[in-house]
Amino acid sequence: MSASRGSGARWVLGIAAAAVWTATVGAWLSHALPPTYHLAALGMPDRFVTNQGVYAAVFLLAALWGAWVWRASRAYEPVRRYWLRSVAFFPLWQAAVFIADELDFASVRATLADLGLGGAFLIGLGWLVWYVEKRWSEFVRESKQLGYVAPTTRIWNPFHPHAWYYGRSGAKLNQSLTVLATYSILFFAIFMLSGQLSGCSELYELPAGGGKQQTIAQTVKIQKVIKKKFVINPFSSIIFKPPPIDDVKLQLMEITAHKYAIGQGDGEGAGYAGGTGRGKVRFIRLQYTGGDWDQDFGIGADLNMLIQYGVRTGQQVADETESRTIAQLENFPAGKSPPLLYMTGQKQIDLSKSEVRTLRDYLLEKQGMLFIDNGGSSNFHSQVFQAMRQIVPEIEAVKIPLDDVIHRIPYQIPFLPFVAPHGGRDSYGWKLNGRWIAYYHPGDIGDAWSDGHSGVRTEVWEACYQLGVNVINYSHSEYSKWLSARAAGKK
Amino acid sequence: MKRYVSNLCLLGFALLTLPAASHAAQGYSRLDEMSLERWAKLRETERYQMKIAEELFTKQNYQAAADEYEKFVTLYEASEGAPFAQHKWAMCQVKLKKLNTAVKDGYQTVIDYWPDSPEAVAAAYLIGQTYKAMGDLPQAKQAYSNVTTKHGDEMVSVLARLDLADIARIEQDRDRRVSVLKELVFNAPRVGDAGRQVAEASGTLAQLMFEDGSFIDGKNALATTYKEPNLSREVVHGSQNRYLGVASVTGRLVAASETKDKGIKLADAAISYLREQMPAAPKDDAEKSFVKSLTYNMADLHSAAGRPEETSKIYEKMLVDYQGEDDVFDRYAGWLKGRSKRDEARILYGRMKNLNRAQGRIAYSYVEEQKYDLAIAIYQGLLSTDAKFTEGRWDWTLAETYQRAGKYKEAIAAFQQCDNFPENLFSIASCYRAMKQHKEAIGTYTQIIGAYETRAPQALLQLAYTHEAAGADETAIATLQQVCKRYPGTGESAQAHQHLNNRYKITITFGGEAKPK
């Protein structure tokens, strides 16, 4: 009784450990956990544990267990030995991949991942073949002992050689082919599903159209209204009072000259040559860990800016603003990824190695751009520079000139507008091959976009909207140019 | 009279541009100056117009200066000064943050319209520099390459190569950086501004060599700029904020286990070099001083290599060799303090001849250990023994120590005796706040706001915090908003904005700027 209770406890413990390990693998693959856990939240001293530490602990413990099982299995008979070794393979494999990832050996990691996957496939197939063969042998043995008895009802069990769908002739071959095909399909379906752990694949499409890369100019036409001229005879007996000479009315009429569409390319209507009919400009905020990515999120600023962008450019814009984690950026394929991500906050920016890789890939390979706004501290200023040094160490930040394209099109920005100069009075940019891959605004531009505009003067928030329009348009235009160049290259 | 005024103007401008004239044979020594010979060729009306523009440029009124330079070019296009005016117009555009305009309408125009002028040479270089400032590194490299090809003998060529080395640093191309730096340091002429920068580059190259563990190469790079007795100091300590010497590089290398051996080898190579420089029998004071300096450097290298026993031995020997010399006690004590051996350090300070300096050092060591009472007693003594403050501002130091010790009343009295306004007023207000005497603190801050305009933003922000500490949140909020509104471009407005957001969840903070003041 006590032995069976002990055995049951071991099973429960084993299943729980397997569940923890599986969850850890899932979390690691999907970047689902924050990089740090603050123990202060648990009432402990204000220390933190990194998730890499948690991963390392779980993976290494599992690997040690796997190695121990592998070694211990030598004492058992072959079937049990191979079964134990098959189970031990998985923690060893994942631990090896994890270590390669931590050591930043990208090619080794990829090779290990691929080899392991192949190994997992073969192990599963081997056990399946063994089971099918075992059942076949049992059937043959039974037939020899009892003589063949034709089934009276339809057999559905796929492991039974007399399952009706295998037919009467060549049943063994049919069974083998069916089992192999079914197993392969199921294995790759599960593999594809696990590959999507970080979320569903999604697309970002630019609105179709075109437009000129030109500054919006306003012209004032002055129209003089010349009054009738009177020729007066001074000797006339008729009394006439001529109007004073200076009383000439001027009719001032402002006519906006920006009749051209805002965008890029030759398409019709405001939009982008690389866009599609269902495409829209979206405003996506980047979720990062360590700080307050959601500062004032969902209370107006982002949506106001998006609406203003739609109104001022005439382009199609989304109905709502959105946010995405760094890991979710991997779900966007190149050519259908967001041209711009908005990032704000005033605290820390903690990036894991994989997040740094994802952001680098987004900025350099997917032609993305970051619009970073200092939401309220000089600390955030240094955090931004530190983060960018991690992501693109080979690019140094420079002050963006006031006559740069990003400050001229579609609006001429004569002076950098800001609400509060948390990071100085100059905007900074990171440029690669003539393209800004990140624009950093040091003075809480988001507050000027928000409802009430933070109480700043009209000219300030108006300039902030204009700057926002410029940055969004710049990123989409550059993305559109890249798409067009890609399309031309393919042709 | 007219000629007299004209000559005076000429003399004034000559004084301004004297460095340029002295290097006329090598072309420019500075890129924003016109040579005296060319200035002499200008007509009086041209000089008058140019002087107006130059004055505005000197006063940093770049928009107006640009307009005046443009006027010069329009009025006197054929003048000797026209390319210079166009060149300076471009420089104004750079100052006005219009870098693209500076390149396309400024420097390029100089090259196109006055290709033989000295400004065309400078403009060719400045195009590269402006591209670099905009982050357009490929264009910058192209522009610098043109400069080095076309104007290989000019100073701008050296400047261009210096910038190419910096681009290699940005692009993390260490090999290219080292190669460019070597070429510059060992072969380039050192003229004008470029000479100073090449000298600095020799330090950078030396640091890179030291980091590679190559002491001799690093020392040779520095030897192109410095001769003994300065060379050994530069080799060991480098130059603050510009490049690191062997001591700092050794410290870094030794800190990491995989580079520890390399660091120790580097330090040993440097020590043996210093030994070679040591005169066997110093003849005069200069040589004696050199020997002492070399010995200090050896002690520093042993310390950086993690060999405190060796460092200690050197200092102990120096105590014997230089009996009674204060700087040996001071330096040895400072090193001991760095190793948290403050009692031993104080004993050494106590042996110094300059009692006031010794007492100051001892008192500060007590402050570091938060033994404020002991420090206060010494500082009080120093007020009478060193009443002329030859070794330190003891009145201010005493007041600060009282404040750190939490003796705010005494601190206020001491700060009131100081004459460094308004710093002492800020400290007094801070003491009042610490004693929760908010009314007095508010009065002091108000006094600062009224009397010291430049410090008013800081005082107003502190005033808001004082209101907050006094529980008057409404007044605090209004005051914080005042900071944002009255001083929108300052760091204080940024702090006020942040505080309103975070503490009071108030987004309406006012402030903001969209136009230059």
Side-chain angles (χ1 to χ4, degrees):
Chain A
M1 182 69 185
S2 64
S4 73
R5 194 178 290 166
S7 168
R10 270 207 300 276
W11 270 104
V12 170
L13 199 66
I15 289 168
V20 168
W21 179 80
T22 311
T24 307
V25 172
W28 180 57
L29 290 175
S30 64
H31 319 281
L33 298 179
T36 54
Y37 306 91
H38 287 273
L39 299 181
L42 303 171
M44 295 167 77
D46 192 13
R47 301 270 170 78
F48 63 87
V49 177
T50 64
N51 71 8
Q52 294 307 106
V54 174
Y55 289 146
V58 174
F59 278 113
L60 289 177
L61 278 175
L64 283 174
W65 175 84
W68 175 79
V69 167
W70 192 285
R71 192 178 159 79
S73 66
R74 286 186 298 187
Y76 296 99
E77 39 80 23
V79 173
R80 198 166 179 191
R81 181 165 69 236
Y82 292 130
W83 172 246
L84 287 171
R85 286 183 178 182
S86 300
V87 173
F89 166 83
F90 291 93
L92 287 169
W93 167 41
Q94 285 301 318
V97 174
F98 175 79
I99 290 165
D101 186 61
E102 277 307 288
L103 296 176
D104 237 2
F105 297 149
S107 57
V108 176
R109 179 198 192 280
T111 309
L112 283 172
D114 290 344
L115 285 176
L117 195 66
F121 177 82
L122 291 175
I123 286 170
L125 187 62
W127 282 108
L128 194 64
V129 170
W130 171 78
Y131 184 69
V132 170
E133 280 302 313
K134 191 181 168 202
R135 290 297 305 269
W136 185 266
S137 304
E138 283 171 1
F139 166 74
V140 172
R141 197 167 52 244
E142 279 174 19
S143 297
K144 276 183 181 171
Q145 287 172 358
L146 305 173
Y148 174 70
V149 181
T152 52
T153 54
R154 278 191 166 185
I155 297 172
W156 285 91
N157 184 352
F159 296 107
H160 199 289
H162 285 166
W164 65 271
Y165 38 79
Y166 293 143
R168 296 214 167 182
S169 62
K172 168 86 172 157
L173 178 65
N174 290 341
Q175 186 191 34
S176 301
L177 290 174
T178 308
V179 166
L180 177 66
T182 311
Y183 169 76
S184 301
I185 289 166
L186 278 175
F187 184 91
F188 285 102
I190 292 167
F191 167 66
M192 294 292 282
L193 196 67
S194 66
Q196 299 299 322
L197 271 175
S198 51
C200 299
S201 175
E202 59 177 323
L203 305 176
Y204 185 107
E205 292 180 316
L206 312 182
K212 289 180 181 171
Q213 296 281 295
Q214 205 171 314
T215 305
I216 288 179
Q218 285 200 324
T219 57
V220 178
K221 280 191 178 177
I222 300 168
Q223 193 177 4
K224 275 187 179 179
V225 179
I226 309 295
K227 291 207 167 185
K228 279 183 180 176
K229 289 180 180 174
F230 299 98
V231 179
I232 301 165
N233 179 4
F235 304 108
S236 168
S237 57
I238 301 165
I239 298 170
F240 180 76
K241 196 180 175 185
I245 295 170
D246 292 332
D247 190 11
V248 178
K249 286 185 179 173
L250 291 177
Q251 276 192 355
L252 301 178
M253 190 166 59
E254 285 192 3
I255 300 173
T256 53
H258 59 286
K259 288 174 181 170
Y260 54 84
I262 294 173
Q264 186 275 329
D266 297 327
E268 272 189 28
Y272 300 96
T276 63
R278 58 185 176 277
K280 285 177 179 177
V281 170
R282 290 151 64 180
F283 195 100
I284 302 176
R285 195 184 276 219
L286 186 67
Q287 296 181 26
Y288 59 90
T289 47
D292 50 345
W293 70 269
D294 56 346
Q295 188 195 40
D296 298 338
F297 185 55
I299 61 166
D302 300 17
L303 187 58
N304 287 348
M305 184 62 245
L306 185 62
I307 291 168
Q308 285 291 330
Y309 184 79
V311 169
R312 288 161 191 255
T313 62
Q315 295 174 8
Q316 290 291 319
V317 296
D319 296 331
E320 295 291 336
T321 58
E322 305 156 60
S323 68
R324 293 287 183 280
T325 62
I326 295 172
Q328 285 172 329
L329 296 180
E330 290 176 4
N331 300 333
F332 292 97
K336 297 281 183 186
S337 62
L340 183 73
L341 294 168
Y342 177 67
M343 184 178 177
T344 188
Q346 56 170 316
K347 296 176 184 169
Q348 303 293 110
I349 303 173
D350 292 340
L351 298 176
S352 67
K353 277 184 183 176
S354 59
E355 285 177 329
V356 166
R357 273 198 297 273
T358 304
L359 278 173
R360 185 177 171 83
D361 183 61
Y362 167 72
L363 294 176
L364 305 190
E365 304 302 324
K366 294 180 178 173
Q367 296 284 306
M369 181 178 173
L370 288 175
F371 183 1
I372 310 168
D373 177 26
N374 189 330
S377 74
S378 53
N379 172 53
F380 189 75
H381 180 83
S382 43
Q383 287 290 311
V384 169
F385 279 69
Q386 176 63 29
M388 290 305 292
R389 264 195 293 276
Q390 283 179 271
I391 299 164
V392 280
E394 73 278 26
I395 304 175
E396 212 165 66
V398 292
K399 288 179 184 175
I400 302 179
L402 288 171
D403 60 352
D404 190 89
V405 173
I406 206 166
H407 285 149
R408 281 193 295 113
I409 296 172
Y411 290 105
Q412 183 82 47
I413 310 288
F415 180 75
L416 188 77
F418 59 80
V419 173
H422 300 299
R425 304 165 75 135
D426 289 300
S427 57
Y428 285 86
W430 285 258
K431 194 183 249 186
L432 179 71
N433 298 328
R435 181 178 74 90
W436 296 113
I437 59 167
Y439 182 100
Y440 167 64
H441 187 281
D444 220 341
I445 195 171
D447 268 15
W449 299 339
S450 63
D451 299 339
H453 310 298
S454 228
V456 299
R457 294 186 305 281
T458 309
E459 63 184 23
V460 178
W461 60 255
E462 170 60 23
C464 287
Y465 275 137
Q466 291 184 354
L467 180 56
V469 169
N470 278 16
V471 176
I472 298 171
N473 178 57
Y474 174 85
S475 61
H476 284 69
S477 296
E478 289 297 315
Y479 198 82
S480 175
K481 284 180 203 168
W482 176 63
L483 289 179
S484 304
R486 262 186 17 143
K490 276 180 188 171
K491 281 174 192 172
Chain B
M1 181 63 186
K2 202 174 172 185
R3 176 178 280 183
Y4 174 70
V5 172
S6 165
N7 286 342
L8 266 183
C9 292
L10 191 61
L11 183 67
F13 199 81
L15 287 173
L16 277 172
T17 57
L18 201 59
S22 66
H23 294 295
Q26 286 88 17
Y28 276 99
S29 74
R30 285 184 56 176
L31 300 176
D32 59 349
E33 288 176 353
M34 189 180 178
S35 74
L36 195 59
E37 290 83 356
R38 295 176 66 218
W39 173 257
K41 289 179 189 171
L42 300 188
R43 288 181 296 159
E44 196 162 329
T45 49
E46 293 168 359
R47 283 183 203 155
Y48 179 76
Q49 178 60 33
M50 186 71 88
K51 269 191 71 181
I52 292 172
E54 288 286 277
E55 271 178 28
L56 288 165
F57 189 87
T58 311
K59 287 176 184 168
Q60 301 183 354
N61 187 351
Y62 298 115
Q63 186 58 63
D67 292 344
E68 293 299 335
Y69 285 123
E70 193 174 3
K71 193 171 160 188
F72 187 99
V73 175
T74 311
L75 292 173
Y76 315 113
E77 195 181 334
S79 161
E80 182 73 26
F84 180 73
Q86 184 69 28
H87 183 72
K88 291 297 288 276
W89 179 88
M91 285 185 165
C92 290
Q93 300 307 313
V94 171
K95 297 286 184 187
L96 293 167
K97 302 178 187 174
K98 295 178 179 174
L99 277 67
N100 291 286
T101 312
V103 170
K104 286 169 188 160
D105 299 337
Y107 298 131
Q108 193 57 51
T109 306
V110 173
I111 294 169
D112 293 343
Y113 285 83
W114 298 280
D116 300 325
S117 66
E119 284 78 14
V121 179
Y125 163 70
L126 288 169
I127 285 176
Q129 194 187 56
T130 314
Y131 274 130
K132 181 168 168 263
M134 289 192 289
D136 289 317
L137 299 186
Q139 286 96 322
K141 281 195 272 190
Q142 179 63 49
Y144 288 139
S145 168
N146 289 342
V147 171
T148 53
T149 312
K150 289 181 186 168
H151 311 290
D153 302 332
E154 302 273 352
M155 184 189 81
V156 289
S157 169
V158 178
L159 292 173
R161 281 180 283 166
L162 281 162
D163 281 357
L164 282 170
D166 194 48
I167 290 175
R169 176 192 62 78
I170 294 168
E171 294 179 337
Q172 302 184 330
D173 188 342
R174 193 183 169 97
D175 291 345
R176 184 154 52 88
R177 189 181 176 203
V178 168
S179 144
V180 175
L181 282 174
K182 275 185 177 169
E183 210 279 318
L184 270 170
V185 169
F186 293 107
N187 299 327
R190 301 191 180 190
V191 181
D193 273 0
R196 186 181 49 77
Q197 292 186 43
V198 175
E200 203 170 304
S202 69
T204 310
L205 178 62
Q207 183 187 331
L208 292 169
M209 295 295 99
F210 294 149
E211 284 167 355
D212 287 344
S214 175
F215 171 77
I216 295 296
D217 288 342
K219 189 268 295 175
N220 288 344
L222 279 169
T224 60
T225 307
Y226 302 99
K227 301 283 172 255
E228 292 297 2
N230 295 330
L231 176 59
S232 53
R233 188 197 61 222
E234 292 291 325
V235 164
V236 176
H237 293 293
S239 180
Q240 205 175 16
N241 300 328
R242 290 187 294 159
Y243 53 88
L244 302 178
V246 173
S248 301
V249 173
T250 300
R252 282 186 183 181
L253 293 173
V254 167
S257 56
E258 63 270 24
T259 54
K260 189 176 178 182
D261 291 344
K262 194 202 267 186
I264 288 170
K265 275 183 191 167
L266 179 69
D268 288 341
I271 289 167
S272 55
Y273 168 75
L274 295 181
R275 282 211 183 98
E276 285 166 20
Q277 305 307 309
M278 194 85 78
K283 292 171 214 156
D284 50 18
D285 285 350
E287 283 202 350
K288 283 176 189 166
S289 166
F290 182 44
V291 169
K292 189 195 262 184
S293 155
L294 289 172
T295 318
Y296 278 141
N297 287 335
M298 277 195 262
D300 291 339
L301 286 169
H302 278 301
S303 178
R307 297 190 290 236
E309 303 80 22
E310 296 296 322
T311 314
S312 192
K313 265 186 209 168
I314 289 175
Y315 279 127
E316 289 294 341
K317 187 171 180 302
M318 286 184 85
L319 288 178
V320 177
D321 293 348
Y322 302 95
Q323 278 187 357
E325 288 193 24
D326 273 6
D327 63 312
V328 180
F329 290 123
D330 199 7
R331 194 133 171 179
Y332 189 14
W335 179 75
L336 287 170
K337 238 174 34 153
R339 299 180 58 77
S340 301
K341 294 180 175 178
R342 288 199 170 77
D343 287 333
E344 291 175 43
R346 279 191 282 267
I347 292 168
L348 287 174
Y349 284 136
R351 290 167 65 185
M352 286 167 67
K353 284 179 195 156
N354 185 336
L355 293 179
N356 290 331
R357 185 179 295 174
Q359 290 296 298
R361 298 276 200 275
I362 291 170
Y364 188 66
S365 73
Y366 284 129
V367 170
E368 286 174 326
E369 288 184 303
Q370 300 184 353
K371 293 175 180 173
Y372 298 117
D373 289 342
L374 293 171
I376 286 167
I378 296 171
Y379 285 135
Q380 280 172 334
L382 280 166
L383 278 177
S384 53
T385 58
D386 186 23
K388 289 184 180 174
F389 302 139
T390 54
E391 294 298 332
R393 284 301 307 245
W394 307 123
D395 54 348
W396 179 257
T397 318
L398 174 65
E400 277 189 321
T401 313
Y402 273 130
Q403 191 180 10
R404 284 180 182 173
K407 296 182 175 182
Y408 298 114
K409 279 185 185 169
E410 292 86 344
I412 290 169
F415 280 126
Q416 281 168 342
Q417 298 303 312
C418 300
D419 56 2
N420 55 341
F421 298 97
E423 292 307 327
N424 58 343
L425 294 178
F426 274 110
S427 297
I428 288 168
S430 172
C431 290
Y432 279 130
R433 276 169 65 183
M435 291 193 292
K436 300 199 186 303
Q437 293 180 8
H438 302 299
K439 205 174 165 185
E440 286 77 3
I442 289 166
T444 312
Y445 285 130
T446 312
Q447 188 187 338
I448 299 170
I449 293 165
Y452 303 95
E453 199 182 337
T454 55
R455 304 299 295 278
Q458 189 188 349
L460 192 60
L461 180 67
Q462 294 303 324
L463 184 63
Y465 292 149
T466 313
H467 282 304
E468 186 179 281
D473 283 358
E474 292 294 323
T475 320
I477 291 165
T479 313
L480 287 167
Q481 287 175 330
Q482 279 291 311
V483 176
C484 294
K485 201 169 183 178
R486 284 167 63 178
Y487 311 107
T490 61
E492 284 79 11
S493 79
Q495 287 178 48
H497 177 84
Q498 185 186 2
H499 199 70
L500 282 164
N501 280 182
N502 293 350
R503 184 178 170 94
Y504 298 106
K505 308 294 174 203
I506 289 175
T507 53
I508 304 298
T509 59
F510 304 110
E513 257 184 34
K515 279 182 182 171
K517 281 191 173 174

